[in-house]
Amino acid sequence: MRNSGLLKGLMTTSGIALALNGCATGGGTQLPPAAFVATQEQPGEEYVIGPLDQLNIFVWRNPELSAKVQVRPDGRITTPLINDMPAVGKTPAMLADDMKIALGEYIKDPIVSVIVENFSGTFSQQVRIVGATAKPASIPYRANMTLLDAMIAVGGLSEYAAGNRAKLVRYDRTTGKQVEYNVKLSNLLKNGDSKANVRLEPGDVIIIPESMF
């Protein structure tokens, strides 16, 4: 009986030690690594127009109705014959269809094309890097973007960054919740650890804390 009690005590102590060790090492959810260079480029999700995007709107055989416009901060555009057309949140094809309907009141069977020339994107399509980096920024997401690409865009880590304690916050569309992942930026940028490079998704937020000392 004494041996049995001693064994239970040792097992309990070992379990507590393992739990504490898990907390000390940060635990956390890890993302699968991504290659530095994609073996096969994949198209991204269809682009959604955002505020301040520069649009080239072409109306076939009606050059006077064609225009280059910038999406206003309120998410709308104004073109000849069309005032305050909502643009943000639509794909170029969706906006072209809406403009066809609006212009159909003035001309017969208009053919409209919308081309995005300068991209900003909606917040849900941008990648934001904040905290201890050379220049915190919000950058447009592009297909096949990785953590390394984003860090190059913001100039890497600052002098006092605790890169291996950085977090990547991602919105999970299936659950409607935010999920937090551990990312090892120091391993990636200083040691060239390919396992620390991960694929990004539109809307990701990378948070980099400063070192305590």
Side-chain angles (χ1 to χ4, degrees):
M1 295 296 290
R2 290 182 179 178
N3 289 340
S4 176
L6 179 60
L7 180 60
K8 287 182 179 179
L10 288 172
M11 291 176 66
T12 302
T13 304
S14 298
I16 293 172
L18 286 171
L20 290 173
N21 184 57
C23 293
T25 55
T29 307
Q30 299 292 337
L31 288 165
F36 285 131
V37 179
T39 55
Q40 182 178 0
E41 295 292 332
Q42 301 284 346
E45 296 180 4
E46 194 167 5
Y47 185 78
V48 176
I49 296 169
L52 307 182
D53 279 357
Q54 189 79 32
L55 308 179
N56 187 353
I57 298 171
F58 175 74
V59 184
W60 191 54
R61 289 185 176 177
N62 291 273
E64 71 282 0
L65 300 180
S66 300
K68 289 188 176 184
V69 297
Q70 186 176 44
V71 181
R72 301 198 306 256
D74 66 359
R76 298 172 180 270
I77 60 171
T78 298
T79 65
L81 299 181
I82 299 178
N83 291 321
D84 295 333
M85 167 70 73
V88 165
K90 299 177 182 178
T91 65
M94 291 168 60
L95 179 57
D97 287 341
D98 288 347
M99 295 196 68
K100 288 177 188 176
I101 296 171
L103 289 173
E105 298 181 9
Y106 306 99
I107 59 177
K108 184 179 179 180
D109 298 327
I111 298 175
V112 181
S113 297
V114 175
I115 301 169
V116 183
E117 294 192 336
N118 289 320
F119 306 86
S120 294
T122 61
F123 286 126
S124 64
Q125 287 192 312
Q126 295 176 356
V127 173
R128 284 167 280 180
I129 304 97
V130 297
T133 180
K135 47 180 181 180
S138 181
I139 59 178
Y141 173 83
R142 63 170 177 77
N144 306 300
M145 179 180 279
T146 68
L147 185 60
L148 178 63
D149 298 323
M151 293 310 300
I152 290 173
V154 297
L157 298 171
S158 71
E159 182 181 357
Y160 303 105
N164 282 347
R165 291 197 289 111
K167 301 291 183 183
L168 186 152
V169 181
R170 176 173 294 170
Y171 176 74
D172 189 331
R173 297 180 183 179
T174 58
T175 62
K177 297 180 180 179
Q178 289 190 148
V179 183
E180 193 174 275
Y181 300 94
N182 294 330
V183 287
K184 305 293 185 182
L185 290 178
S186 293
N187 288 357
L188 173 64
L189 299 176
K190 296 180 180 179
N191 303 330
D193 183 1
S194 61
K195 293 181 180 178
N197 195 30
V198 299
R199 182 71 60 86
L200 298 181
E201 293 184 4
D204 281 352
V205 179
I206 301 163
I207 303 171
I208 309 168
E210 286 190 349
S211 177
M212 295 292 187
F213 49 85

